[in-house]
Amino acid sequence: MQFKRKDLLGLEYLTAEEINLILETAGSFKEVLDRKVKKVPALRGVTVANVFYEPSTRTRMSFELAEKRLSADVINFSKATSSVAKGETLRDTVENIQAMKVDIVVMRHGSSGAHRFMSEFLDASIVNAGDGQHEHPTQALLDMLTLRQRWGTFTGKKVTIIGDIMHSRVARSNIWGLTKLGAQVTLCGPPTMMPVDIEKLGEGGVSVEYDLRKAVAEADAINILRIQLERQDARLLPSSREYFEVFGVGPEALRAAPEHCLVMHPGPMNRGVEISQEIADGDRAVILEQVTNGVAARMAVLFLIAGGKIEEDDIQ
Amino acid sequence: MISWKDKKEFWIAGARIADPAAKKIRSGCLLVRKGAIAEIAWQKEVDTDLPVLDAAGMLLAPGFVDVHAHLREPGHEEKETVATGTAAAAAGGYTAVCCMANTDPVVDDPSVVEYIRCRAAEADNCRVYPIAALTKGLGGEVISEYRLLRDAGAVALSDDGRWVENSRTMRTALEYAGMFDLPVVSHCEDHRLTANAQMHEGFQSTRLGLKGWPAAAEEIAVDRDVRLAELTGSRLHLAHLSTAGSVKILKAAKRAGVRVTAEVTPHHLTMDDSMLETYDRNLKVNPPLRGGTDIAALRAALRDGTIDCIATDHAPHTEIDKQVEFNYAPPGMIGLQTAFALLHTELVLTGELELVDLVRLLTLGPAETLGLPGGRLQAGDPADLVLIDTDEEWVFEKEAILSLSRNTPLVGRRFTGRVQGIFLEGNWRSVILDG
């Protein structure tokens, strides 16, 4: 099968087959990352612009590495403030970047739907590196790649996502991706951070559980979200110490989970707030594996968006 | 259809005439003399030597009255002017439009009321009734000069766009407005509950990752304002009602004898929050497009008379204003030109609303709500009329938009039923027929 989409706006818009294709392709690219010479010519001659309207360390470096590993030409643009505050509209900025003959725009933006909006104007492909509180598809893909390598399949697997669900684009993309591939998702977090009707999101199999111990009791993996204080326009929590008491994952909370339960975190972590030191560094944590897989997952996305088909040549 | 034009006296013959006061549509002929309705003969033809406009197959009704539009002048002439807004209104069948006070400068001084009326007289497209600010500078604290504003021509008072959060100020405003029997038009929104909100709070806001505007934020405000209207005995009009809960409060208040009226917009009656999945900024309005239960309750309230009128909340914004990320786009859509066609297509032809009721909600309903002239077919009244072909199928094209702004999600939409033109004091105005 060939990936026919021009843009990657979110996992909601992809079929299970398309998600599987990305994960399979990522698996092939992951081998490249273990080689001595970690570079393939797959995107030679392709120019990618990383346009970041929000601060990012991991995602931006990960994309840039993925692009370089694929031999793409890379330019970076970052602006901490919104385009509106700057006086130039987002449309103007990105159209200017496109005018420099860019093929793919990787964009992070604080406004939900910003990528959808830009796709109305751009001929270049758009890859969503996070839009507001909507989707962060490549994060979910790398999370899923990590789980797939351990499990082989998602059918019947249970993943619990813990934290600020309301403001989390990671949660939304994970819900879409995991449920499309047959996993069940349990959401756990304070009700002030649980958006209305979230159980209806995804393709069935989403539930909400406010008791952390119950929420992890049958989990094959838990994904712990960062408490994003900068996204809160009202105080939704009394304090971080109370948060840790109720929803923080420490040794005691993890004892409620099955032995084989994996611990994930999209980073950056607030140790002592949503996750304890022991758990973050513990043997169930696959947090750094996620980071490695991020490069492979993004290589796969960029490669497929650029119209690539997996041929032996591409990964030689 | 030539000879009657520009004549001081002529018959409009053969039309179906919608009489909202009598709640009837009957065949009839209407005599216009010196700009006024002279006589209505409830028969298909007239035997006369006077010029005759043959309106066979057409629907003739009192001209529409909009109690809620933003004409943006003064201050935002890049979005709309009184001239362009009223041109769009006339094309939509409106012979009278009330314009909101959130201009720049704000309509909190008699000179601004006079300015708008002058611009309207120059444009001469339809009647314009300015609504003045309820509080100075729309600040929500100090009431404006109601008597001076009324004498200048203001017909109602509103801080539309903002709810008066201070309950004491609202009580004062209602009490003071009551002395002049001026209706107070309230935009009901608890702003703290809607901070940064982009759309209706529900499954769709969760799905799209846009901050939600809960129904309760409107209902809390409606409830308080109704109680203050009861306390003061003054006239309260609720702007753009959008939730099932608000309808419930309104119904109970009316039953209890509170002097309260309410309007609903064409978009809240026909569009829901699921349409926002494209992040189309033209669908961003305030209050936001709601869900199916709310829409059903609003439609039921139209039928049972709980809601008094349909108002457009015509809110022009330029293409540049709207060509930004969803959360930076200002809320509002234009609606004067399409209100009838949209509602006729989606509510009347589907059997949800009788045609005569739609006409009443666009004419007598709004006129009575704000105590305006018009909306009736009475001998002696100005001949402000609308002529409609209820069978005409047409497509709303972008090029046909008369408003200066084009922020509507309805471009390209096929409608059944089209306003052919209006008579303003007996003078024919039409953009599609030259008469």
Side-chain angles (χ1 to χ4, degrees):
Chain A
M1 127 177 228
Q2 203 187 340
F3 195 79
K4 293 211 176 73
R5 297 190 189 263
K6 175 179 155 280
D7 309 306
L8 177 68
L9 301 180
L11 295 194
E12 178 183 351
Y13 316 111
L14 299 188
T15 63
E17 292 70 33
E18 288 170 318
I19 294 170
N20 271 321
L21 176 65
I22 297 172
L23 295 177
E24 273 158 33
T25 309
S28 310
F29 281 125
K30 191 158 184 213
E31 292 163 28
V32 172
L33 300 177
D34 292 328
R35 291 182 197 163
K36 202 165 174 190
V37 178
K38 301 177 180 60
K39 204 169 173 100
V40 290
L43 290 195
R44 190 179 284 157
V46 174
T47 308
V48 184
N50 299 313
V51 180
F52 277 67
Y53 280 100
E54 277 189 333
S56 162
T57 313
R58 213 167 320 256
T59 305
R60 214 189 119 168
M61 282 178 65
S62 180
F63 264 110
E64 193 168 342
L65 261 180
E67 290 147 10
K68 289 180 170 166
R69 299 278 188 246
L70 291 168
S71 310
D73 295 314
V74 179
I75 54 168
N76 290 305
F77 170 93
S78 65
K79 188 78 200 170
T81 55
S82 83
S83 54
V84 167
K86 214 175 102 192
E88 184 181 42
T89 66
L90 173 65
R91 182 183 169 179
D92 283 337
T93 306
V94 183
E95 277 185 335
N96 269 282
I97 292 167
Q98 178 177 266
M100 298 173 202
K101 306 294 176 195
V102 163
D103 303 296
I104 300 174
V105 174
V106 173
M107 185 165 88
R108 165 168 290 190
H109 198 287
S111 300
S112 301
H115 300 75
R116 177 75 180 241
F117 163 63
M118 287 316 302
S119 72
E120 293 169 25
F121 304 107
L122 286 193
D123 299 322
S125 291
I126 299 176
V127 174
N128 185 355
D131 66 322
Q133 302 163 12
H134 179 223
E135 284 226 39
H136 190 355
T138 57
Q139 176 69 44
L141 288 166
L142 73 87
D143 292 342
M144 292 171 73
L145 180 60
T146 307
L147 295 174
R148 191 178 193 261
Q149 282 164 356
R150 299 284 181 131
W151 298 343
T153 175
F154 289 93
T155 314
K157 295 292 185 184
K158 292 179 176 169
V159 179
T160 298
I161 305 174
I162 303 159
D164 177 1
I165 309 296
M166 174 139 54
H167 299 96
S168 176
R169 51 197 177 207
V170 175
R172 283 172 179 77
S173 287
N174 263 288
I175 291 170
W176 283 112
L178 289 166
T179 56
K180 279 178 194 234
L181 295 197
Q184 289 180 13
V185 177
T186 300
L187 304 169
C188 181
T192 51
M193 295 175 163
M194 195 63 75
V196 58
D197 286 346
I198 186 83
E199 301 92 331
K200 295 183 195 158
L201 202 70
E203 305 205 337
V206 177
S207 58
V208 172
E209 172 57 62
Y210 293 108
D211 182 324
L212 179 63
R213 276 130 200 96
K214 285 186 193 158
V216 302
E218 292 177 20
D220 297 300
I222 59 174
N223 198 343
I224 304 165
L225 303 176
R226 188 164 66 94
I227 291 301
Q228 303 188 58
L229 293 168
E230 80 273 15
R231 281 195 200 283
Q232 293 183 23
D233 48 38
R235 284 302 293 242
L236 303 173
L237 287 176
S239 68
S240 28
R241 71 173 181 185
E242 171 140 324
Y243 182 82
F244 184 75
E245 196 57 35
V246 188
F247 294 104
V249 179
E252 195 247 309
L254 201 58
R255 267 195 291 280
E259 289 254 331
H260 65 272
C261 178
L262 303 172
V263 175
M264 309 171 82
H265 193 300
M269 287 187 280
N270 299 311
R271 289 168 187 256
V273 181
E274 71 267 358
I275 187 167
S276 77
Q277 188 86 3
E278 306 93 299
I279 302 302
D281 299 330
D283 54 7
R284 297 205 210 169
V286 292
I287 296 167
L288 293 174
E289 219 172 295
Q290 287 174 268
V291 177
T292 308
N293 283 332
V295 179
R298 288 173 177 123
M299 286 171 82
V301 166
L302 292 162
F303 175 73
L304 293 170
I305 286 284
K309 267 185 286 188
I310 283 286
E311 313 262 347
E312 277 305 300
D313 288 357
D314 293 317
I315 50 174
Q316 290 304 306
Chain B
M1 300 228 296
I2 295 292
S3 60
W4 55 274
K5 212 187 161 204
D6 300 324
K7 293 290 192 296
K8 288 264 179 279
E9 197 172 1
F10 62 92
W11 280 95
I12 305 168
R16 291 176 298 139
I17 299 180
D19 182 349
K23 295 182 181 162
K24 274 186 186 150
I25 298 179
R26 291 172 283 178
S27 292
C29 301
L30 187 148
L31 176 64
V32 176
R33 185 187 297 137
K34 291 181 183 166
I37 298 170
E39 185 187 335
I40 302 174
W42 297 109
Q43 58 204 50
K44 276 197 168 167
E45 288 166 37
V46 276
D47 188 15
T48 176
D49 297 329
L50 292 170
V52 174
L53 159 60
D54 177 9
M58 297 283 175
L59 182 75
L60 184 68
F64 301 151
V65 177
D66 190 8
V67 295
H68 189 154
H70 296 269
L71 299 181
R72 302 291 187 217
E73 194 177 352
H76 287 288
E77 289 84 353
E78 81 284 4
K79 295 178 195 269
E80 191 80 287
T81 64
V82 171
T84 57
T86 53
Y94 288 90
T95 52
V97 169
C98 301
C99 56
M100 277 298 174
N102 58 344
T103 50
D104 184 14
V106 166
V107 189
D108 61 1
D109 189 278
S111 62
V112 187
V113 177
E114 280 155 18
Y115 176 79
I116 293 169
R117 295 184 66 204
C118 283
R119 304 298 296 179
E122 280 165 31
D124 192 28
N125 290 320
C126 73
R127 296 174 202 277
V128 173
Y129 300 113
I131 292 175
L134 188 64
T135 63
K136 283 184 186 164
L138 309 178
E141 293 298 334
V142 185
I143 60 171
S144 36
E145 299 161 313
Y146 299 166
R147 172 64 191 264
L148 298 179
L149 290 161
R150 185 199 68 179
D151 290 353
V155 296
L157 305 161
S158 181
D159 280 0
D160 184 53
R162 296 185 195 175
W163 186 53
V164 177
E165 290 201 351
N166 185 328
S167 300
R168 186 176 160 181
T169 306
M170 188 61 170
R171 176 194 178 160
T172 306
L174 280 161
E175 273 175 343
Y176 194 71
M179 174 164 59
F180 312 110
D181 207 28
L182 278 169
V184 170
V185 182
S186 183
H187 168 114
C188 290
E189 173 181 1
D190 182 330
H191 294 286
R192 287 181 191 253
L193 273 176
T194 63
N196 300 321
Q198 302 297 320
M199 65 178 293
H200 173 57
E201 181 172 308
F203 169 67
Q204 294 298 340
S205 63
T206 293
R207 175 186 171 210
L208 299 172
L210 293 170
K211 186 141 191 336
W213 198 126
E218 176 172 302
E219 291 149 12
I220 287 166
V222 166
D223 199 40
R224 185 207 69 177
D225 286 348
V226 160
R227 282 165 201 276
L228 291 176
E230 186 171 22
L231 176 69
T232 57
S234 297
R235 288 164 70 186
L236 171 70
H237 175 65
L238 303 169
H240 42 54
L241 226 58
S242 71
T243 80
S246 297
V247 169
K248 224 164 140 184
I249 299 167
L250 172 66
K251 208 170 197 171
K254 284 190 158 183
R255 206 176 296 134
V258 181
R259 297 176 74 197
V260 57
T261 53
E263 71 192 31
V264 62
T265 72
H267 49 273
H268 287 111
L269 288 166
T270 57
M271 304 176 196
D272 70 24
D273 61 344
S274 73
M275 297 169 72
L276 287 162
E277 65 179 4
T278 59
Y279 293 93
D280 181 351
R281 282 80 59 203
N282 287 333
L283 291 165
K284 181 176 173 182
V285 286
N286 194 25
L289 300 178
R290 303 285 184 188
T293 327
D294 294 311
I295 294 175
L298 294 171
R299 290 180 175 190
L302 274 190
R303 286 188 291 267
D304 71 16
T306 305
I307 288 178
D308 303 86
C309 59
I310 293 166
T312 63
D313 195 6
H314 177 86
H317 291 292
T318 66
E319 217 144 356
I320 295 166
D321 292 331
K322 285 282 192 180
Q323 250 182 25
V324 293
E325 300 88 315
F326 196 89
N327 53 337
Y328 298 127
M333 67 170 79
I334 57 170
L336 283 164
Q337 230 173 313
T338 47
F340 175 83
L342 176 65
L343 295 166
H344 182 257
T345 306
E346 298 223 356
L347 294 186
V348 176
L349 294 180
T350 55
E352 285 219 49
L353 192 67
E354 295 291 326
L355 178 58
V356 71
D357 286 327
L358 175 58
V359 169
R360 174 178 52 79
L361 289 158
L362 292 168
T363 56
L364 185 63
E368 284 186 335
T369 292
L370 291 196
L372 304 171
R376 297 161 186 84
L377 291 175
Q378 264 169 200
D381 278 1
D384 288 0
L385 305 164
V386 59
L387 197 62
I388 301 162
D389 181 344
T390 53
D391 296 324
E392 183 177 338
E393 291 192 14
W394 63 293
V395 174
F396 185 54
E397 306 281 5
K398 195 168 190 176
E399 295 68 36
I401 295 177
L402 295 176
S403 176
L404 207 50
S405 291
R406 292 168 165 191
N407 53 311
T408 166
L410 296 173
V411 168
R413 183 73 75 89
R414 177 173 289 277
F415 294 123
T416 303
R418 188 176 194 181
V419 169
Q420 305 293 302
I422 59 168
F423 295 91
L424 193 66
E425 282 187 47
N427 292 310
W428 177 242
R429 312 282 161 90
S430 174
V431 289
I432 57 167
L433 296 176
D434 56 7

